[in-house]
Amino acid sequence: MQENNGSPQKPSSVACLPCRRRHLKCDARMPVCTRCQTANTECHYVRSRRGRRDQPRRASSRPDEEASSVPTDAFSDWLNANAFSPDLGLLTTQDLFQPCQSFPLSTEALDTFSETPLTTPTIARESMIQLYYQNFHPSHPVTIPQKALNSPTAHFIPAYLISVMRYIGAHYYPDPSLKQALQQPAYSFLTDPTLRDGFTVQALLLLAIVDHSQCHEQSAHRLLQTAVSLALEIGLHHACFAMENSYGQPVLEESWRRTYWELYIVDGWLAAIHEQSPFRLYDQRASVLLPCAERMYSLDNVIPSGQTLDDLQNHWLAQSFSTFAYRIDAVRNLGAVLELNRSLEGNIEARVETIDAHLSSSLMTLPALHGDRYDSSCHDEMVFQAQMTLYLALIYLHHPRSSMCFASFHTHDPSTSCTRLKLPASQSQSQSTITPSPALDLHSHKLLRAADLLSSLATLPSTIQHRSPFFTCALAMCTIVHTAALLVVSGSRREESLKARVQLSIGALKVIGRVWPLARTVRGEMVGMYKEVVGG
C-alpha cells in the first residue's frame, strides 16, 4: 500500500496492531500511524476484517457499526458472558440498561456529535465536552484534563470514552433531548467484551456515578463492581500499570493513578450509602502512587507525587500531600467505620473512641477549604469532598450508639434511597410513642454536630450544581438526622435551628435536582418525612 499524496485520505481497511490491541481508531498512515508516531512506538499492520467503509454495511450488533441502536440480545450477551467476571449475580437487561430501552434519537444531534475515526484535539472544544470539564470533571478528575485533550495526547483516548464524557456533559445542557440523543452511544461499548483496559474502567466508573445519580441503583452497582473486577484483573492497583500503559505521556500515567483511587473512593461511598454492599477495595493492597496536586494536573504539568497510602498514614507530619490524597484518606476512615459497624464483637467502645479521634484529627489537619486564594467564593473540591466524607463517617459512627430515636423513612422502592438508617426492632413502634427529652447523650451531641457541619457545606458561595452528585446523599443524611432530632428536642430552643437546617438541605436538593434525578427523588422523600414529623 502506498500513501496517497494528491487526494484526500479515504478511510482505510488497515489498522496497525498497537491500535487494534487497544481497541482504538487508527488513521493507517504509512509507515507509522499518528498514534504510534505520537507515542514513539513500533507500528505494524494487518488487514482489517471489517472491510472498507464504502462497502455496503452488514447488519451487526457492534456499537461502532450500528451507532443508532444497541440490540437487546447483544446487551444480554454482555450480561451473561464472563467478559468481566464480577462475583455478582446476573441482572436482567432491564435492570442494567433501564434508561436506554427505547427513545427516539435526534439525527441532527447524532450527526453533530458523530465519532471521528481518530480522537483529535478539536474534541476538547466541543460544547458537551466543555460542559463536562466545567461541571463534572472538577468533582471526579479521572480522565485526562482538558488541556491535555487539546493536544496530541487526545489520539490515545478511545471514542467510546469521549461518548461517555459527552453524555455526562449533556446533563448540564438545558435541552434534555440532547442528553437522550447521546445516551445510547455512551452505553454502547458495553456490548463489546473485548474492551478490557484502563479506559474501559474509566468509562464503567463514570457511568456508575451517572446511573447512581439517575436512581438506577442496580445498574450503578453492577457497573461499579464490574469496574472493580476489571481494574484488579488488569493490575490497575499496581504502581507499574500507570507507567507501562502511559505511552510515555506523564499526564496519562497520572490519569491511571487517579482512576484507581477514584474507584476506591466511589466504592467506599456506595458501600456507605447501601450498607449491605461491601467496600471491596478497602482491604485491597495497592502500590499505586497517590495523585499529584490538582493544579499541576489541570495544567498538564504532571510531576508524580512519589507517595503511597502508607506514607499518608505513617508520615503525615513530615510530608505534605495533595488534596486528592486527603480525600482518599477520608474514605479510608469511612471504611474503618463501616467495618466497625459490621463487627460482631461485644465490647468495642475503645475502638469507637479511637476512630472518633482519627476522624476529628483528620478534619483538623485538612488543608484550607479555600486554599491560599484571596477569593473566598472558590473552594477546593477535593477538600470539600474530604470534609463531606469525614462528617458522614462521624454520622455513621455515632448514629448506632446514640440515644436518639430514628424512624425508618424509606420510599416503597428502596433502590432510590440514599441511606439505610433503620430503627432497631425494639424501637419499631409508631412515632407517637416517642417521648421528647431535653437531654441528649454524648453520641447524640456528636451526631448532631456532624450533621450541622455537613449541612453547612451547602452554604458555600460557589455553585452547588458543580459539586459531586454524591452530595445528594450527604444532604439526605443531614435531613434525616435533623428531622429525627425534632422528635427528641420538640419544644426546646433548638427546634427552630433544626427546622432551618432541614430547610437548607431540602433547598440544596432542589438545586441539585435540576441536573440529577436522584436529588429530585430524595427531596420528595425528605419533604414527606418532614411533614410526617412536624405536620403540615
Side-chain angles (χ1 to χ4, degrees), residues 58-208:
R58 297 166 298 175
S60 173
S61 62
R62 291 184 58 85
D64 54 345
E65 294 183 347
E66 201 64 49
S68 62
S69 65
V70 180
T72 303
D73 57 349
F75 205 85
S76 299
D77 290 343
W78 178 84
L79 284 172
N80 292 284
N82 56 358
F84 299 105
S85 61
D87 299 324
L88 295 169
L90 295 176
L91 303 177
T92 65
T93 302
Q94 185 176 4
D95 288 331
L96 184 58
F97 206 41
Q98 182 178 352
C100 300
Q101 289 294 308
S102 63
F103 51 84
L105 291 177
S106 167
T107 304
E108 294 181 1
L110 290 178
D111 289 341
T112 302
F113 296 100
S114 60
E115 294 178 357
T116 57
L118 188 69
T119 302
T120 62
T122 57
I123 291 290
R125 294 188 287 275
E126 284 188 6
S127 56
M128 294 303 106
I129 297 297
Q130 290 188 18
L131 286 175
Y132 167 85
Y133 278 106
Q134 292 168 4
N135 298 281
F136 186 87
H137 182 79
S139 296
H140 302 281
V142 178
T143 57
I144 62 172
Q146 190 172 14
K147 185 174 181 180
L149 192 64
N150 192 33
S151 75
T153 307
H155 297 318
F156 297 101
I157 309 303
Y160 66 84
L161 182 57
I162 297 296
S163 294
V164 173
M165 295 163 65
R166 286 192 186 112
Y167 173 57
I168 295 175
H171 284 74
Y172 300 92
Y173 189 73
D175 184 358
S177 64
L178 184 58
K179 179 177 65 177
Q180 293 176 347
L182 296 175
Q183 186 177 39
Q184 194 141 347
Y187 286 83
S188 62
F189 77 96
L190 295 175
T191 63
D192 188 347
T194 66
L195 298 177
R196 308 178 61 80
D197 58 10
F199 292 115
T200 310
V201 175
Q202 289 183 344
L204 288 166
L205 173 58
L206 293 176
L207 288 182

Side-chain angles (χ1 to χ4, degrees), residues 231-355:
L232 297 179
E233 180 182 330
I234 65 177
L236 192 62
H237 56 303
H238 296 308
C240 59
F241 179 92
M243 181 177 298
E244 292 173 356
N245 293 272
S246 66
Y247 297 91
Q249 305 293 315
V251 71
L252 189 54
E253 182 178 338
E254 174 68 13
S255 177
W256 295 137
R257 290 190 284 266
R258 288 167 173 260
T259 300
Y260 176 79
W261 289 120
E262 192 71 22
L263 197 61
Y264 178 93
I265 289 167
V266 174
D267 189 25
W269 281 343
L270 289 181
I273 291 169
H274 308 295
E275 292 185 63
Q276 76 276 15
S277 301
F279 185 178
R280 289 178 61 189
L281 295 180
Y282 178 69
D283 292 319
Q284 176 66 50
R285 293 293 301 173
S287 59
V288 58
L289 298 180
L290 295 174
C292 68
E294 293 307 295
R295 181 171 176 79
M296 186 181 295
Y297 185 57
S298 63
L299 294 177
D300 193 7
N301 185 28
V302 173
I303 300 177
S305 68
Q307 300 165 324
T308 65
L309 188 59
D310 288 337
D311 293 327
L312 182 60
Q313 296 174 13
N314 302 320
H315 306 289
W316 54 273
L317 279 175
Q319 302 180 32
S320 60
F321 298 88
S322 68
T323 55
F324 197 128
Y326 286 105
R327 178 170 168 251
I328 296 168
D329 191 53
V331 174
R332 182 186 62 83
N333 280 312
L334 176 61
V337 174
L338 299 178
E339 187 178 64
L340 176 68
N341 288 347
R342 295 190 181 107
S343 174
L344 298 178
E345 297 179 23
N347 186 11
I348 57 174
E349 192 59 34
R351 290 178 61 190
V352 171
E353 293 178 358
T354 299
I355 293 177

Side-chain angles (χ1 to χ4, degrees), residues 19 40 59 104-105 154 174 253 262 310 337 365 377 398 404 424 434 507 509:
C19 290
N40 195 25
L105 291 177
E253 182 178 338
E262 192 71 22
D310 288 337
V337 174
T365 56
S377 65
H398 294 293
M404 293 174 58
I434 298 174
L509 287 170

